[in-house]
Amino acid sequence: MSPDGKPSRPVAVYSRVSEQGRRSDEELLSHELQRRRIEHYLAAHELVPAADVFEDTDQSGRKMRRPAFDRAVQGVREGRLGGIAVARLSRFGRSTVGILDLIYEFEKLGAAVVCLDPMIDTSSASGRAMLTVFAAFVTLEAEQAVEQAGQVAALKLEAGTSLGGKPPVGYEFEVVGRDSNGKDILGWYIPSADAPLVGEAFERFDRGELATAGRVADFLNEHGLRTLRGNRWNGRNVIGFLRREAYAGVRTYGEVRIPNAHEAIVAAEVFRRVQRRLEPKEGEKTRVRGEGYVLGQGLCRCGHCGGGLVKGQANGSYPILRCLQRGCGHASISYALADDWIIGVAFAHLGMIAKDEGGNAEQLAAAQARLEAAQAELAEVEALKGTIKPAAFALAYSDALQALEQAEDTLAALDPQPGSTRLLFPAGARAEFGQLPVPEQLAALRSIVSRATIKPGRGHPAERIMIEFQDGSRHPAAFSPSQVPVAG
């Protein structure tokens, strides 16, 4: 800080907008209004706003970890920023402990928090004292809001009226009357025309006739059932379908949970057995979901269906990007290869260097042999159908199918690497990029690349990965975005 207590470095202007459309306060619905008010205050007090934009949308203030907020905090910790300014204290956070811990950390770093409503400036002792009081009131306000929401839910549940939202697949809302405007008053769930199909999917999965969650997705797709968004089922969204307690007659709203609230589509004992089947086996590694990786947030797309690729594990050890849509011909590729190539091309787009590298023919041959053995084993099991008990066949078929999928993933993770050119960073730039937090790496990559499409099959990344840049150019240049299907 400067001798007068003001931050000498630029101050991050942070705004947060949550649950748009539900707030009556216009300021909380607009990043622009929040930012304009903050910048006006900073200019009046001879403080310099940071050039970077720090905005979070639909991120709860009860969480102290938010993408843009994390970037601002990291900037303070690295000494690039002199503090964070917000329009209201609730934009900073709604946890007294979280707010105060961060404020004390900023104080040690010589940084400040500026809040316009209530007026607080932690560059002064009185400002820090006021912050403690107001932070406690912000937490109280958040807790009261949750309590009030629970009371409203309890009244609606008691009256048998709808809590809103959309009913799960297989249910619809019962119409219990009409209001003064002639609109339907919706009650609780009742089974829809799709209910028998939903029940059959659970029962067949329970009996082992549908050996995996992916087979359940195939069953639902074959019978024309779609998700609430109208999409096809895949190995990812069908897990949420199978875990939904509503099918066993349980109605929930926040922490309120009411058993036998409506007619169950799935018997309670069947639902319990299905949940046990979905539990990971001892020592089993689960796929990495979400956006916690550099190629996340839909950056990579499947060249067959246009769907987003997710990160997982091949054979329990090889990181892999794969499309979870059901059916043949979808893309999968080694995560390390895709990561290195896409980042390399992105930086090469700004002018980088290249290097020759050798191949991996020996590893590829071993993986191909394992795949052929798994295919032969699956064929042997299929030949036993009808000659052994159904339960024994289902178990053997599930194990053989899992072995085949692991072999396929392993082979995809070892895409051929012939002696060819590989794009590289200068050592300093690559090391600096790698030290950034994953959200910042992703943001930096997103500033260069708008989309990377992975062709199905095998081959060197140069032959399989098609990249579109933010400036409108493409790599390879002959690639046309119209060649990529739109995700269904």
Side-chain angles (χ1 to χ4, degrees), residues 23-221:
R23 305 291 191 191
S24 59
D25 192 328
E26 182 183 5
E27 181 183 272
L28 300 186
L29 292 174
S30 170
H31 290 295
E32 182 181 356
L33 289 176
Q34 292 182 53
R35 185 175 183 85
R36 187 186 307 167
R37 187 179 173 203
I38 296 168
E39 289 179 340
H40 179 75
Y41 174 87
L42 296 180
H45 290 77
E46 300 180 351
L47 298 173
V48 179
D52 293 341
V53 176
F54 300 94
E55 298 177 350
D56 277 321
T57 303
D58 288 336
Q59 295 285 335
S60 172
R62 298 181 69 85
K63 300 185 299 183
M64 293 303 292
R65 296 298 306 272
R66 291 161 256 145
F69 187 72
D70 288 348
R71 287 193 293 111
V73 172
Q74 187 65 24
V76 173
R77 289 170 175 166
E78 293 175 354
R80 295 183 285 106
L81 299 174
I84 298 177
V86 294
R88 292 190 179 182
L89 188 57
S90 62
R91 303 302 89 192
F92 190 84
R94 291 182 177 273
S95 165
T96 302
V97 175
I99 293 174
L100 295 181
D101 284 348
L102 202 53
I103 298 308
Y104 295 148
E105 180 184 352
F106 279 18
E107 183 180 1
K108 293 179 182 178
L109 295 173
V113 167
V114 176
C115 174
L116 308 188
D117 185 11
M119 187 61 69
I120 298 174
D121 188 338
T122 61
S123 62
S124 66
S126 60
R128 288 190 292 274
M130 289 296 294
L131 177 69
T132 303
V133 176
F134 282 117
F137 277 107
V138 167
T139 301
L140 176 62
E141 179 187 7
E143 292 176 350
Q144 287 177 335
V146 172
E147 185 177 295
Q148 291 170 0
Q151 292 172 352
V152 172
L155 290 174
K156 288 189 174 183
L157 290 169
E158 184 178 348
T161 55
S162 170
L163 297 176
K166 293 183 178 180
V169 173
Y171 280 107
E172 60 188 7
F173 284 125
E174 180 184 12
V175 178
V176 296
R178 291 184 179 276
D179 62 16
S180 58
N181 296 319
K183 294 183 178 180
D184 291 340
I185 299 176
L186 303 179
W188 287 10
Y189 300 155
I190 58 174
S192 69
D194 295 325
L197 189 62
V198 170
E200 184 179 354
F202 271 84
E203 291 172 1
R204 294 188 64 180
F205 182 70
D206 175 43
R207 294 196 299 265
E209 296 175 12
L210 299 175
T212 65
R215 297 297 180 187
V216 175
D218 290 340
F219 171 80
L220 297 174
N221 289 330

Side-chain angles (χ1 to χ4, degrees), residues 174-412:
E174 180 184 12
V175 178
V176 296
R178 291 184 179 276
D179 62 16
S180 58
N181 296 319
K183 294 183 178 180
D184 291 340
I185 299 176
L186 303 179
W188 287 10
Y189 300 155
I190 58 174
S192 69
D194 295 325
L197 189 62
V198 170
E200 184 179 354
F202 271 84
E203 291 172 1
R204 294 188 64 180
F205 182 70
D206 175 43
R207 294 196 299 265
E209 296 175 12
L210 299 175
T212 65
R215 297 297 180 187
V216 175
D218 290 340
F219 171 80
L220 297 174
N221 289 330
E222 289 168 3
H223 287 79
L225 198 62
R226 294 293 180 263
T227 69
L228 291 176
R229 295 183 178 181
N231 297 326
R232 291 174 59 83
W233 297 94
N234 56 48
R236 176 174 48 181
N237 56 31
V238 81
I239 294 294
F241 164 82
L242 292 171
R243 289 192 183 280
R244 188 132 190 193
E245 270 193 305
Y247 294 121
V250 178
R251 191 75 166 97
T252 58
Y253 184 85
E255 297 181 358
V256 181
R257 180 178 180 276
I258 301 182
N260 304 315
H262 53 262
E263 182 179 345
I265 293 177
V266 180
E269 60 274 13
V270 172
F271 187 82
R272 285 194 295 269
R273 288 196 296 266
V274 167
Q275 303 318 299
R276 287 197 293 269
R277 286 201 59 186
L278 293 174
E279 292 177 0
K281 298 177 182 177
E282 186 176 353
E284 182 180 32
K285 294 183 178 181
T286 57
R287 289 193 181 99
V288 179
R289 303 296 188 199
E291 312 298 348
Y293 53 96
V294 179
L295 301 184
Q297 293 185 351
L299 180 72
C300 297
R301 318 296 294 185
C302 174
H304 178 70
C305 69
L309 302 186
V310 301
K311 187 179 180 183
Q313 296 288 332
N315 204 27
S317 57
Y318 299 107
I320 188 172
L321 275 177
R322 66 185 303 178
C323 178
L324 292 186
Q325 295 296 330
R326 302 296 297 172
C328 300
H330 295 278
S332 62
I333 190 171
S334 161
Y335 184 86
L337 286 178
D339 178 79
D340 191 51
W341 184 259
I342 293 172
I343 295 175
V345 170
F347 275 71
H349 190 61
L350 306 178
M352 292 291 126
I353 60 176
K355 177 183 178 181
D356 288 338
E357 65 172 6
N360 64 340
E362 185 175 342
Q363 289 178 304
L364 189 63
Q368 181 66 41
R370 285 196 295 271
L371 175 61
E372 293 173 357
Q375 291 172 335
E377 182 181 355
L378 181 62
E380 291 177 2
V381 172
E382 289 177 337
L384 296 175
K385 188 174 183 179
T387 63
I388 60 176
K389 294 182 178 180
F393 173 78
L395 180 61
Y397 184 82
S398 177
D399 291 342
L401 184 62
Q402 184 177 9
L404 177 61
E405 291 176 347
Q406 290 177 347
E408 290 174 341
D409 287 349
T410 301
L411 186 59

